[in-house]
Amino acid sequence: MVEPKTRRPLAESLAVHDQVYGAIRQALITGRIAPGVGVSLRTLAAELGVSPMPVRDAVRRLVAERALAINPANKRLSVPSLTAGRLEQLSQARLWIEPELAARAAPLADEALIRSLQAIDASLDAALAAGDVDGYMTANHAFHFAIYERAGADVLLSMAGGLWLQIGPFMRVVFGRVGTGGLPADRHAEAIAALKAQDAPGARRAIAADLSEGMDKMRAAVEAGA
């Protein structure tokens, strides 16, 4: 459930709460916590090698971000269900926020960012070729947020992060079922070209198209009952 490298004990320190929050957050973003599967605080604590207290604190934060829900009957945690209506709201919010971040990043893009994006995209392509859904999810998130973090827009960045928290587990389910070969072609090369040219409208268009095509695949899966 939680990425294997996070299963070693985390150092008990003042930062442990943030470490635990970050580990669970990353597991949600990359879909390693599956929708519809209940999990207890104690299970998460055991996987992370910490006491239940920092896990409880992290879960409280993630519930407030609508990334997790608590069943009042048995206190088990789960990813909230994804209805067609909720998916539509998430899609619209992503299309408002993420292309704007890409457009703001474009004038600030430099050669170091371009090289980083090219390397990440190469690892994404390798994951696709190998049928590695976990590798694809990790690289896809890294690609988008390398761009978004360059925008210098902390409020929008935080909102984008919250949206990925909510959508990540469902991306993983859909992509796991259709396989990496069933994914739409991404627009990453277009985004890199626009950023290299510091073309804000081009970066906006590339990211908007990338999001739209991916969310359309999710929408079809939700409508089909997947």
Side-chain angles (χ1 to χ4, degrees):
M1 180 185 301
V2 178
E3 188 175 13
K5 69 180 181 181
T6 65
R7 290 179 182 169
R8 64 183 182 275
L10 296 172
E12 292 292 343
S13 68
L14 292 177
V16 71
H17 287 246
D18 286 337
Q19 293 179 54
V20 169
Y21 170 77
I24 300 174
R25 192 177 192 277
Q26 186 65 16
L28 285 162
I29 286 170
T30 55
R32 286 188 297 273
I33 297 180
V37 178
V39 61
S40 69
L41 287 172
R42 289 188 179 278
T43 297
L44 284 176
E47 290 190 355
L48 293 168
V50 297
S51 69
M53 185 176 296
V55 175
R56 188 175 295 111
D57 178 64
V59 165
R60 190 179 302 114
R61 293 167 67 180
L62 291 162
V63 168
E65 292 178 276
R66 300 182 183 275
L68 287 174
I70 300 178
N71 185 328
N74 57 19
K75 305 300 182 184
R76 291 178 72 81
L77 311 166
S78 64
V79 173
S81 61
L82 186 65
T83 62
R86 185 161 176 251
L87 177 60
E88 187 59 36
Q89 292 180 62
L90 288 169
S91 298
Q92 185 63 70
R94 293 187 72 197
L95 286 170
W96 283 335
I97 294 165
E98 295 181 48
E100 175 65 20
L101 281 165
R104 291 179 181 228
L108 304 173
D110 57 17
E111 190 57 38
L113 175 63
I114 300 305
R115 287 196 300 268
S116 177
L117 291 172
Q118 289 169 336
I120 295 168
D121 203 39
S123 70
L124 185 152
D125 289 340
L128 285 173
D132 177 5
V133 175
D134 188 69
Y136 169 82
M137 292 286 295
T138 300
N140 190 48
H141 176 264
F143 182 89
H144 281 265
F145 279 82
I147 297 171
Y148 302 162
E149 287 166 4
R150 181 56 60 95
D154 290 347
V155 172
L156 294 176
L157 180 64
S158 176
M159 293 170 73
L163 293 170
W164 277 66
L165 271 177
Q166 296 181 62
I167 206 72
F170 299 96
M171 286 184 184
R172 179 61 176 263
V173 169
V174 172
F175 296 167
R177 290 181 180 181
V178 304
T180 52
L183 300 179
D186 64 51
R187 302 300 186 98
H188 292 181
E190 294 173 31
I192 290 172
L195 290 162
K196 188 172 184 178
Q198 297 190 328
D199 174 8
R204 185 191 298 276
R205 285 193 300 271
I207 293 300
D210 191 59
L211 298 181
S212 294
E213 290 163 10
M215 296 301 283
D216 284 347
K217 178 71 74 173
M218 292 191 65
R219 188 176 295 106
V222 168
E223 289 172 355

